[in-house]
Amino acid sequence: MKRILIVTGQSGSGKSSALQVLEDLGYYCIDNLPLALLPEIVGKLDQENNLEQLALGVDVRSTRADLQEFDQVFEQLQKYGSVDIIYLTTQDQELITRFSASRRPHPLAGRWPSLHECIQEEKGLLLPIQMRATVNIDTTDKSVHDLKHTLLSKLGQSDNLIVILQSFGYKHGIPLDADYVFDVRHLPNPHWDLQLRKLSGLDAPVQKFLSEFEQTGQMFEDIHQFLAKWLPAFAEGHRHYITVSIGCTGGQHRSVYMVNRLKQALEANWSIQVLHREMKHWS
């Protein structure tokens, strides 16, 4: 067996959807087995089947003792192939909204009186797994289609490093799945120019406005030089992806401009994926 994925995260964050995506990608998927049994089952599958890709769904319904012994389970699984952990997370308020809409109880509902308490307890129980996660995905604003796109990008379909450049707005929250976050809110804001307000950083008038300021060029050079220096190190470490998030206030002008300019500077040497998280909010 060559590749084993452990798919886990907060209840309501999309674990079942992620497993369906992986099944479509050719992974043999197993869900909701006790953690302690996984090494034995994986070993049996390795002997009896010629499986190249295996995905294992794990959640908080495993016993507390099993979750606390996760490090031992992880080390035993490494005997059968490379092991990556996909951890799905979602902002608390969105989880509450999802559970209210589905009318399904949280897996810990019998132990804690409120949904908020269940969510906080679950975070603590899953912490041993989260600490080992190699792929973190924030599904707060993601549809199933978005989740599939993110999985494809972050898992990679080759040994080449994929650089994900993501623009976002601080007023909508910092991305939880970013490896690096750069703040460009100090740059002049096109929002205050009424002729530019409804445009985005992809439009030529906004690009011209920002490019005329010296500090814009200085910020770009600093981020570009940092990435040019350290991306080769990530590639040599056999990372499949790295997510670089650029944030401004609303995620429409400055961050979008900077992501677009970085893409143009890096795409000759790296495989680039661009995500503009707040596009749905653009006026």
Side-chain angles (χ1 to χ4, degrees):
M1 194 173 298
K2 292 184 178 180
R3 191 170 197 187
I4 301 170
L5 297 179
I6 297 175
V7 184
T8 188
Q10 295 174 267
S11 301
S13 288
K15 177 173 67 72
S16 296
S17 296
L19 286 171
Q20 289 173 4
V21 170
L22 292 171
E23 189 171 34
D24 291 342
L25 293 175
Y27 281 81
Y28 185 89
C29 297
I30 302 175
D31 195 14
N32 291 335
L33 286 176
L35 265 175
L37 296 180
L38 290 182
E40 179 182 348
I41 293 172
V42 171
K44 188 174 181 64
L45 287 171
D46 190 51
Q47 289 179 351
E48 299 180 359
N49 300 275
N50 187 27
L51 296 178
E52 294 288 322
Q53 301 178 123
L54 176 66
L56 306 170
V58 172
D59 60 32
V60 77
R61 284 172 286 188
S62 292
T63 67
R64 181 186 294 266
D66 279 356
L67 292 169
Q68 290 175 343
E69 297 297 322
F70 177 76
D71 284 352
Q72 295 180 20
V73 172
F74 182 84
E75 291 172 3
Q76 292 176 48
L77 290 175
Q78 286 181 311
K79 300 175 183 176
Y80 305 107
S82 65
V83 183
D84 286 302
I85 299 172
I86 299 174
Y87 190 88
L88 305 173
T89 188
T90 304
Q91 293 178 11
D92 292 356
Q93 187 55 51
E94 175 62 20
L95 284 178
I96 291 172
T97 300
R98 291 180 186 180
F99 274 105
S100 298
S102 68
R103 298 184 180 181
R104 297 186 63 186
H106 191 280
L108 299 179
R111 305 183 210 173
W112 299 91
S114 72
L115 180 54
H116 177 74
E117 289 175 293
C118 291
I119 292 171
Q120 302 313 311
E121 176 68 11
E122 183 179 45
K123 289 180 183 178
L125 290 172
L126 293 175
L127 188 59
I129 304 180
Q130 185 182 11
M131 294 296 290
R132 280 190 174 270
T134 48
V135 177
N136 289 279
I137 299 176
D138 176 9
T139 69
T140 301
D141 296 314
K142 287 182 173 58
S143 65
V144 174
H145 176 76
D146 295 331
L147 177 59
K148 180 175 182 178
H149 176 76
T150 302
L151 279 170
L152 285 169
S153 298
K154 294 201 170 189
L155 291 176
Q157 299 302 298
S158 69
D159 291 330
N160 296 326
L161 176 69
I162 296 173
V163 181
I164 302 170
L165 298 175
Q166 175 178 232
S167 67
F168 74 94
Y170 275 91
K171 72 178 184 180
H172 300 293
I174 298 175
L176 301 180
D177 53 359
D179 294 294
Y180 289 100
V181 175
F182 293 95
D183 187 346
V184 297
R185 286 178 292 180
H186 63 287
L187 299 180
N189 193 350
H191 174 81
W192 302 116
D193 186 323
L194 295 181
Q195 293 183 330
L196 302 178
R197 181 171 294 183
K198 292 187 177 182
L199 303 179
S200 77
L202 298 177
D203 294 309
V206 173
Q207 294 172 358
K208 181 177 183 297
F209 171 88
L210 286 168
S211 66
E212 291 175 348
F213 293 91
E214 183 179 358
Q215 58 184 312
T216 302
Q218 292 173 341
M219 188 68 182
F220 165 76
E221 288 298 334
D222 284 346
I223 299 175
H224 180 229
Q225 288 176 18
F226 175 85
L227 295 175
K229 178 178 180 179
W230 291 109
L231 286 179
F234 282 105
E236 290 173 5
H238 302 291
R239 283 283 295 270
H240 293 296
Y241 76 96
I242 180 172
T243 301
V244 179
S245 295
I246 313 290
C248 61
T249 304
Q252 181 170 336
H253 298 108
R254 294 164 290 180
S255 61
V256 173
Y257 165 87
M258 194 63 69
V259 161
N260 186 59
R261 191 167 170 183
L262 287 168
K263 172 184 179 292
Q264 294 173 0
L266 296 170
E267 61 186 353
N269 298 314
W270 302 99
S271 177
I272 305 294
Q273 297 276 350
V274 169
L275 299 174
H276 296 303
R277 195 186 74 174
E278 318 304 356
M279 185 177 285
K280 59 183 176 293
H281 300 298
W282 294 357
S283 56

Short mmCIF file of all heavy atoms in Angstrom, two decimals, residues 205-249:
data_model
loop_
_atom_site.label_atom_id
_atom_site.label_comp_id
_atom_site.label_asym_id
_atom_site.label_seq_id
_atom_site.Cartn_x
_atom_site.Cartn_y
_atom_site.Cartn_z
N PRO A 205 -7.99 49.54 -13.62
CA PRO A 205 -7.94 50.81 -12.89
C PRO A 205 -7.47 50.64 -11.44
O PRO A 205 -6.73 51.48 -10.92
CB PRO A 205 -9.39 51.30 -12.95
CG PRO A 205 -9.95 50.68 -14.19
CD PRO A 205 -9.32 49.32 -14.25
N VAL A 206 -7.89 49.56 -10.79
CA VAL A 206 -7.44 49.31 -9.42
C VAL A 206 -5.95 48.96 -9.40
O VAL A 206 -5.19 49.42 -8.54
CB VAL A 206 -8.27 48.16 -8.77
CG1 VAL A 206 -7.69 47.78 -7.41
CG2 VAL A 206 -9.72 48.58 -8.65
N GLN A 207 -5.52 48.16 -10.35
CA GLN A 207 -4.11 47.79 -10.44
C GLN A 207 -3.25 49.02 -10.67
O GLN A 207 -2.18 49.17 -10.07
CB GLN A 207 -3.91 46.77 -11.56
CG GLN A 207 -4.60 45.44 -11.28
CD GLN A 207 -4.57 44.49 -12.47
OE1 GLN A 207 -4.07 44.85 -13.54
NE2 GLN A 207 -5.11 43.29 -12.28
N LYS A 208 -3.71 49.93 -11.53
CA LYS A 208 -2.96 51.16 -11.80
C LYS A 208 -2.88 52.02 -10.53
O LYS A 208 -1.82 52.56 -10.19
CB LYS A 208 -3.62 51.94 -12.93
CG LYS A 208 -2.90 53.24 -13.32
CD LYS A 208 -3.59 53.90 -14.49
CE LYS A 208 -2.83 55.16 -14.93
NZ LYS A 208 -2.78 56.19 -13.89
N PHE A 209 -4.00 52.15 -9.83
CA PHE A 209 -4.05 52.93 -8.60
C PHE A 209 -3.03 52.43 -7.58
O PHE A 209 -2.24 53.19 -7.02
CB PHE A 209 -5.46 52.87 -8.02
CG PHE A 209 -5.61 53.46 -6.65
CD1 PHE A 209 -5.88 54.81 -6.48
CD2 PHE A 209 -5.47 52.66 -5.50
CE1 PHE A 209 -6.02 55.36 -5.21
CE2 PHE A 209 -5.60 53.21 -4.24
CZ PHE A 209 -5.88 54.56 -4.09
N LEU A 210 -3.02 51.12 -7.34
CA LEU A 210 -2.14 50.56 -6.31
C LEU A 210 -0.67 50.58 -6.74
O LEU A 210 0.22 50.80 -5.92
CB LEU A 210 -2.57 49.13 -5.99
CG LEU A 210 -3.86 49.01 -5.16
CD1 LEU A 210 -4.37 47.58 -5.15
CD2 LEU A 210 -3.62 49.49 -3.74
N SER A 211 -0.42 50.37 -8.02
CA SER A 211 0.96 50.30 -8.49
C SER A 211 1.67 51.64 -8.41
O SER A 211 2.91 51.70 -8.47
CB SER A 211 1.00 49.77 -9.93
OG SER A 211 0.38 50.68 -10.82
N GLU A 212 0.92 52.73 -8.28
CA GLU A 212 1.53 54.05 -8.23
C GLU A 212 2.13 54.39 -6.87
O GLU A 212 2.82 55.40 -6.73
CB GLU A 212 0.49 55.12 -8.63
CG GLU A 212 0.10 55.05 -10.10
CD GLU A 212 -1.02 56.00 -10.47
OE1 GLU A 212 -1.65 56.55 -9.53
OE2 GLU A 212 -1.27 56.18 -11.67
N PHE A 213 1.88 53.54 -5.87
CA PHE A 213 2.40 53.80 -4.53
C PHE A 213 3.65 52.97 -4.27
O PHE A 213 3.66 51.75 -4.50
CB PHE A 213 1.33 53.49 -3.47
CG PHE A 213 0.15 54.42 -3.52
CD1 PHE A 213 -0.96 54.10 -4.29
CD2 PHE A 213 0.16 55.61 -2.81
CE1 PHE A 213 -2.04 54.96 -4.35
CE2 PHE A 213 -0.92 56.47 -2.87
CZ PHE A 213 -2.03 56.15 -3.63
N GLU A 214 4.69 53.61 -3.79
CA GLU A 214 5.98 52.94 -3.57
C GLU A 214 5.86 51.79 -2.57
O GLU A 214 6.46 50.73 -2.75
CB GLU A 214 7.01 53.95 -3.08
CG GLU A 214 8.41 53.36 -2.88
CD GLU A 214 9.41 54.40 -2.42
OE1 GLU A 214 9.02 55.58 -2.29
OE2 GLU A 214 10.58 54.03 -2.18
N GLN A 215 5.06 51.99 -1.53
CA GLN A 215 4.95 50.96 -0.50
C GLN A 215 4.29 49.68 -1.04
O GLN A 215 4.54 48.58 -0.54
CB GLN A 215 4.19 51.47 0.72
CG GLN A 215 2.80 51.97 0.43
CD GLN A 215 2.15 52.55 1.66
OE1 GLN A 215 2.16 51.95 2.73
NE2 GLN A 215 1.57 53.75 1.54
N THR A 216 3.45 49.82 -2.08
CA THR A 216 2.85 48.63 -2.70
C THR A 216 3.94 47.76 -3.32
O THR A 216 3.97 46.54 -3.13
CB THR A 216 1.83 49.03 -3.77
OG1 THR A 216 0.82 49.84 -3.20
CG2 THR A 216 1.19 47.79 -4.39
N GLY A 217 4.84 48.39 -4.07
CA GLY A 217 5.94 47.66 -4.67
C GLY A 217 6.87 47.06 -3.64
O GLY A 217 7.35 45.92 -3.81
N GLN A 218 7.11 47.78 -2.55
CA GLN A 218 7.98 47.27 -1.50
C GLN A 218 7.37 46.04 -0.83
O GLN A 218 8.06 45.05 -0.55
CB GLN A 218 8.23 48.36 -0.47
CG GLN A 218 9.08 49.52 -0.99
CD GLN A 218 9.18 50.66 0.01
OE1 GLN A 218 8.37 50.77 0.94
NE2 GLN A 218 10.17 51.52 -0.18
N MET A 219 6.05 46.09 -0.58
CA MET A 219 5.38 44.95 0.05
C MET A 219 5.42 43.74 -0.88
O MET A 219 5.69 42.60 -0.44
CB MET A 219 3.92 45.30 0.38
CG MET A 219 3.20 44.25 1.20
SD MET A 219 3.89 44.16 2.88
CE MET A 219 2.90 42.83 3.57
N PHE A 220 5.15 43.97 -2.15
CA PHE A 220 5.21 42.88 -3.11
C PHE A 220 6.61 42.24 -3.14
O PHE A 220 6.74 41.01 -3.12
CB PHE A 220 4.85 43.38 -4.52
CG PHE A 220 5.25 42.41 -5.60
CD1 PHE A 220 4.51 41.26 -5.83
CD2 PHE A 220 6.40 42.63 -6.37
CE1 PHE A 220 4.88 40.35 -6.81
CE2 PHE A 220 6.78 41.72 -7.34
CZ PHE A 220 6.03 40.58 -7.58
N GLU A 221 7.64 43.06 -3.19
CA GLU A 221 9.01 42.54 -3.26
C GLU A 221 9.35 41.73 -2.01
O GLU A 221 10.00 40.68 -2.10
CB GLU A 221 10.01 43.68 -3.43
CG GLU A 221 9.98 44.32 -4.81
CD GLU A 221 10.34 43.34 -5.91
OE1 GLU A 221 11.07 42.35 -5.64
OE2 GLU A 221 9.90 43.55 -7.06
N ASP A 222 8.91 42.18 -0.84
CA ASP A 222 9.21 41.45 0.39
C ASP A 222 8.55 40.06 0.39
O ASP A 222 9.17 39.06 0.74
CB ASP A 222 8.72 42.25 1.61
CG ASP A 222 9.63 43.42 1.94
OD1 ASP A 222 10.76 43.46 1.41
OD2 ASP A 222 9.22 44.30 2.72
N ILE A 223 7.27 40.01 -0.01
CA ILE A 223 6.57 38.72 -0.03
C ILE A 223 7.16 37.82 -1.11
O ILE A 223 7.41 36.63 -0.89
CB ILE A 223 5.06 38.92 -0.27
CG1 ILE A 223 4.44 39.76 0.85
CG2 ILE A 223 4.35 37.56 -0.36
CD1 ILE A 223 2.98 40.11 0.61
N HIS A 224 7.42 38.40 -2.28
CA HIS A 224 7.97 37.62 -3.39
C HIS A 224 9.34 37.05 -3.04
O HIS A 224 9.62 35.87 -3.30
CB HIS A 224 8.06 38.49 -4.64
CG HIS A 224 8.62 37.77 -5.82
ND1 HIS A 224 9.63 38.27 -6.61
CD2 HIS A 224 8.34 36.54 -6.34
CE1 HIS A 224 9.93 37.42 -7.55
NE2 HIS A 224 9.16 36.35 -7.42
N GLN A 225 10.20 37.85 -2.44
CA GLN A 225 11.53 37.37 -2.08
C GLN A 225 11.46 36.27 -1.02
O GLN A 225 12.21 35.30 -1.07
CB GLN A 225 12.38 38.53 -1.57
CG GLN A 225 12.81 39.51 -2.67
CD GLN A 225 13.57 40.69 -2.14
OE1 GLN A 225 14.08 40.66 -1.02
NE2 GLN A 225 13.65 41.76 -2.94
N PHE A 226 10.53 36.41 -0.07
CA PHE A 226 10.35 35.37 0.95
C PHE A 226 9.96 34.05 0.30
O PHE A 226 10.53 32.99 0.59
CB PHE A 226 9.29 35.81 1.95
CG PHE A 226 8.95 34.75 2.97
CD1 PHE A 226 9.70 34.62 4.12
CD2 PHE A 226 7.87 33.89 2.77
CE1 PHE A 226 9.39 33.64 5.06
CE2 PHE A 226 7.56 32.91 3.70
CZ PHE A 226 8.33 32.79 4.85
N LEU A 227 8.97 34.09 -0.59
CA LEU A 227 8.50 32.87 -1.23
C LEU A 227 9.57 32.28 -2.16
O LEU A 227 9.78 31.07 -2.18
CB LEU A 227 7.22 33.14 -2.01
CG LEU A 227 6.00 33.53 -1.17
CD1 LEU A 227 4.82 33.89 -2.06
CD2 LEU A 227 5.62 32.41 -0.20
N ALA A 228 10.24 33.14 -2.92
CA ALA A 228 11.28 32.65 -3.83
C ALA A 228 12.39 31.96 -3.05
O ALA A 228 12.99 30.99 -3.54
CB ALA A 228 11.84 33.82 -4.64
N LYS A 229 12.66 32.41 -1.84
CA LYS A 229 13.72 31.81 -1.04
C LYS A 229 13.30 30.48 -0.44
O LYS A 229 14.09 29.52 -0.42
CB LYS A 229 14.13 32.77 0.08
CG LYS A 229 15.20 32.21 1.01
CD LYS A 229 15.60 33.22 2.08
CE LYS A 229 16.68 32.65 3.00
NZ LYS A 229 17.09 33.65 4.03
N TRP A 230 12.05 30.39 0.04
CA TRP A 230 11.67 29.24 0.85
C TRP A 230 10.83 28.19 0.13
O TRP A 230 10.75 27.05 0.59
CB TRP A 230 10.92 29.71 2.10
CG TRP A 230 11.84 30.43 3.04
CD1 TRP A 230 11.87 31.76 3.33
CD2 TRP A 230 12.90 29.84 3.81
NE1 TRP A 230 12.87 32.05 4.22
CE2 TRP A 230 13.53 30.89 4.54
CE3 TRP A 230 13.38 28.54 3.95
CZ2 TRP A 230 14.60 30.67 5.38
CZ3 TRP A 230 14.46 28.32 4.80
CH2 TRP A 230 15.05 29.38 5.50
N LEU A 231 10.21 28.50 -1.00
CA LEU A 231 9.46 27.48 -1.73
C LEU A 231 10.32 26.29 -2.13
O LEU A 231 9.86 25.14 -2.04
CB LEU A 231 8.77 28.09 -2.95
CG LEU A 231 7.55 28.97 -2.67
CD1 LEU A 231 6.99 29.53 -3.97
CD2 LEU A 231 6.48 28.21 -1.91
N PRO A 232 11.56 26.48 -2.58
CA PRO A 232 12.39 25.31 -2.90
C PRO A 232 12.60 24.38 -1.71
O PRO A 232 12.66 23.15 -1.87
CB PRO A 232 13.71 25.93 -3.35
CG PRO A 232 13.33 27.27 -3.88
CD PRO A 232 12.23 27.74 -2.98
N ALA A 233 12.67 24.95 -0.50
CA ALA A 233 12.84 24.11 0.68
C ALA A 233 11.60 23.27 0.94
O ALA A 233 11.71 22.09 1.32
CB ALA A 233 13.14 25.00 1.90
N PHE A 234 10.43 23.84 0.73
CA PHE A 234 9.20 23.07 0.88
C PHE A 234 9.14 21.96 -0.17
O PHE A 234 8.73 20.83 0.13
CB PHE A 234 7.97 23.97 0.74
CG PHE A 234 7.67 24.79 1.97
CD1 PHE A 234 7.95 26.13 2.00
CD2 PHE A 234 7.11 24.20 3.08
CE1 PHE A 234 7.68 26.89 3.12
CE2 PHE A 234 6.84 24.94 4.22
CZ PHE A 234 7.12 26.29 4.25
N ALA A 235 9.53 22.26 -1.39
CA ALA A 235 9.52 21.26 -2.45
C ALA A 235 10.47 20.11 -2.14
O ALA A 235 10.14 18.94 -2.35
CB ALA A 235 9.88 21.90 -3.79
N GLU A 236 11.64 20.44 -1.62
CA GLU A 236 12.61 19.40 -1.28
C GLU A 236 12.13 18.54 -0.12
O GLU A 236 12.54 17.38 0.01
CB GLU A 236 13.94 20.05 -0.91
CG GLU A 236 14.65 20.69 -2.10
CD GLU A 236 15.88 21.48 -1.69
OE1 GLU A 236 16.22 21.46 -0.48
OE2 GLU A 236 16.49 22.13 -2.56
N GLY A 237 11.26 19.09 0.71
CA GLY A 237 10.68 18.32 1.81
C GLY A 237 9.48 17.50 1.40
O GLY A 237 8.79 16.94 2.25
N HIS A 238 9.22 17.41 0.08
CA HIS A 238 8.14 16.58 -0.48
C HIS A 238 6.75 17.03 -0.01
O HIS A 238 5.85 16.21 0.13
CB HIS A 238 8.35 15.10 -0.13
CG HIS A 238 9.68 14.57 -0.62
ND1 HIS A 238 9.97 14.40 -1.95
CD2 HIS A 238 10.80 14.22 0.07
CE1 HIS A 238 11.21 13.94 -2.06
NE2 HIS A 238 11.73 13.83 -0.87
N ARG A 239 6.60 18.32 0.21
CA ARG A 239 5.27 18.86 0.48
C ARG A 239 4.46 18.87 -0.81
O ARG A 239 4.98 19.18 -1.88
CB ARG A 239 5.38 20.29 1.01
CG ARG A 239 5.81 20.40 2.45
CD ARG A 239 4.67 20.09 3.39
NE ARG A 239 3.60 21.07 3.29
CZ ARG A 239 3.54 22.18 4.03
NH1 ARG A 239 4.48 22.46 4.90
NH2 ARG A 239 2.51 23.01 3.89
N HIS A 240 3.19 18.55 -0.73
CA HIS A 240 2.33 18.56 -1.91
C HIS A 240 1.80 19.97 -2.19
O HIS A 240 1.48 20.30 -3.33
CB HIS A 240 1.15 17.61 -1.74
CG HIS A 240 1.56 16.17 -1.69
ND1 HIS A 240 2.15 15.53 -2.74
CD2 HIS A 240 1.45 15.25 -0.69
CE1 HIS A 240 2.40 14.27 -2.41
NE2 HIS A 240 1.98 14.09 -1.18
N TYR A 241 1.65 20.79 -1.16
CA TYR A 241 1.06 22.10 -1.34
C TYR A 241 1.53 23.03 -0.23
O TYR A 241 2.01 22.61 0.83
CB TYR A 241 -0.47 22.02 -1.30
CG TYR A 241 -0.97 21.86 0.12
CD1 TYR A 241 -1.37 22.96 0.87
CD2 TYR A 241 -0.98 20.62 0.74
CE1 TYR A 241 -1.78 22.83 2.18
CE2 TYR A 241 -1.39 20.47 2.05
CZ TYR A 241 -1.79 21.57 2.77
OH TYR A 241 -2.18 21.43 4.07
N ILE A 242 1.39 24.32 -0.46
CA ILE A 242 1.55 25.33 0.57
C ILE A 242 0.52 26.41 0.29
O ILE A 242 0.32 26.80 -0.87
CB ILE A 242 2.98 25.91 0.62
CG1 ILE A 242 3.09 26.97 1.72
CG2 ILE A 242 3.39 26.49 -0.72
CD1 ILE A 242 4.51 27.45 1.96
N THR A 243 -0.18 26.87 1.30
CA THR A 243 -1.21 27.89 1.14
C THR A 243 -0.70 29.22 1.69
O THR A 243 -0.36 29.32 2.87
CB THR A 243 -2.50 27.49 1.87
OG1 THR A 243 -2.97 26.24 1.35
CG2 THR A 243 -3.58 28.56 1.69
N VAL A 244 -0.67 30.23 0.83
CA VAL A 244 -0.23 31.57 1.19
C VAL A 244 -1.44 32.48 1.07
O VAL A 244 -1.99 32.66 -0.01
CB VAL A 244 0.90 32.07 0.28
CG1 VAL A 244 1.32 33.49 0.67
CG2 VAL A 244 2.09 31.11 0.33
N SER A 245 -1.88 33.05 2.19
CA SER A 245 -3.07 33.88 2.20
C SER A 245 -2.68 35.35 2.38
O SER A 245 -1.87 35.69 3.24
CB SER A 245 -4.01 33.46 3.34
OG SER A 245 -4.50 32.15 3.11
N ILE A 246 -3.28 36.20 1.55
CA ILE A 246 -3.04 37.64 1.58
C ILE A 246 -4.34 38.32 1.96
O ILE A 246 -5.37 38.11 1.31
CB ILE A 246 -2.58 38.18 0.20
CG1 ILE A 246 -1.47 37.30 -0.39
CG2 ILE A 246 -2.16 39.63 0.32
CD1 ILE A 246 -0.15 37.39 0.31
N GLY A 247 -4.32 39.12 3.02
CA GLY A 247 -5.56 39.70 3.51
C GLY A 247 -5.58 41.21 3.50
O GLY A 247 -4.60 41.87 3.84
N CYS A 248 -6.74 41.77 3.11
CA CYS A 248 -7.01 43.20 3.31
C CYS A 248 -8.34 43.28 4.06
O CYS A 248 -8.84 42.27 4.56
CB CYS A 248 -7.03 43.96 1.98
SG CYS A 248 -8.28 43.43 0.80
N THR A 249 -8.94 44.45 4.13
CA THR A 249 -10.14 44.59 4.95
C THR A 249 -11.31 43.76 4.42
O THR A 249 -11.90 42.94 5.13
CB THR A 249 -10.55 46.07 5.05
OG1 THR A 249 -9.46 46.83 5.55
CG2 THR A 249 -11.75 46.23 5.98
#
